[in-house]
Amino acid sequence: GAGGAGDTNAPVISNIQATSITRTGATITWTTNEAANSFVDYGLSVSYELGTATDAALVTSHSVPLAGLTEDTLYHFRIRSRDATGNQATSADVTFRTLPPPDSSAPVISDIQTLNITGTSATIAWITNEQSNSFVDYGRTTGYELGTATDATMALEHAAPLTGLQSETTYHYRVRSRDGASNEATSADQTFTTRDIVAPIVSDIITQDITDSSARITWTTN
């Protein structure tokens, strides 16, 4: 009803939401079709054993904060609103989960491989146990003076191509991966050697010991 001494209709509760959820709190909001007070029964079960948060103000837009909650935990709650003449409405059970603690663990890097080695390129591959980006520091020494190959894509399987390398050269590299919370892991130093793609240079060709049926050919390569 619209209030007054003859009102026998309970408020109509709608638009129930758990908003502003944090690790230790949340705000429960809802709407009633007439001015009414605010009760939020809450707990770890439908027994709502943690008690009731209340606001005695008679309003149609309700907002009740819950504090002191445990992180990464599922909570049950229900809404109750009572109008000025004592008619009370009670909602069905609703749930929300508090946020987990912040991620402080770096990705775990494993299965580092050097693939597709040519005279001028190679691909560095590895796996992480959580979504993270890709960096490969590389060079001819452990100073990794040639720079870093990067891929900002968040992934579990990583593959970074290295190009513009010199043939028959040993390269040092390390891989790094950073997760969405900026925790970074760095591997130990790894090495690979590019392939020989330069043909030998032939010189000093000499024909010796010529007979009617044979000859000996000698030459020098670099």
Side-chain angles (χ1 to χ4, degrees), residues 11-201:
V12 176
I13 295 171
S14 62
N15 197 29
I16 300 171
Q17 297 185 61
T19 66
S20 304
I21 299 172
T22 67
R23 290 163 54 201
T24 59
T27 298
I28 310 304
T29 63
W30 70 98
T31 302
T32 51
N33 68 327
E34 62 175 318
N37 59 19
S38 308
F39 300 90
V40 179
D41 305 318
Y42 69 104
L44 301 178
S45 71
V46 292
S47 298
Y48 310 112
E49 72 284 351
L50 293 178
T52 303
T54 66
D55 187 336
L58 296 175
V59 296
T60 56
S61 294
H62 304 257
S63 179
V64 176
L66 303 180
L69 307 181
T70 302
E71 59 193 9
D72 197 19
T73 300
L74 183 70
Y75 285 89
H76 292 257
F77 70 93
R78 69 180 177 191
I79 300 305
R80 292 185 290 117
S81 278
R82 185 181 301 127
D83 65 20
T85 56
N87 304 301
Q88 179 172 280
T90 302
S91 77
D93 182 67
V94 186
T95 62
F96 68 91
R97 180 176 289 276
T98 50
L99 298 183
D103 179 9
S104 60
S105 298
V108 177
I109 294 171
S110 62
D111 199 24
I112 300 172
Q113 300 182 58
T114 309
L115 306 174
N116 306 323
I117 301 173
T118 71
T120 59
S121 65
T123 297
I124 310 303
W126 69 99
I127 294 173
T128 52
N129 67 329
E130 62 176 320
Q131 298 282 336
S132 54
N133 57 19
S134 307
F135 302 92
V136 179
D137 306 317
Y138 68 105
R140 293 187 181 89
T141 71
T142 54
Y144 311 112
E145 71 285 348
L146 294 179
T148 304
T150 67
D151 186 342
T153 304
M154 304 298 278
L156 299 176
E157 297 182 357
H158 307 260
L162 304 181
T163 59
L165 308 180
Q166 306 246 336
S167 63
E168 295 183 90
T169 302
T170 297
Y171 287 89
H172 291 259
Y173 71 91
R174 67 183 179 191
V175 304
R176 295 183 287 118
S177 281
R178 184 181 303 139
D179 65 20
S182 296
N183 303 301
E184 184 173 284
T186 303
S187 76
D189 182 66
Q190 315 284 323
T191 61
F192 67 92
T193 301
T194 50
R195 306 215 183 274
D196 178 7
I197 59 171
V198 179
I201 298 173

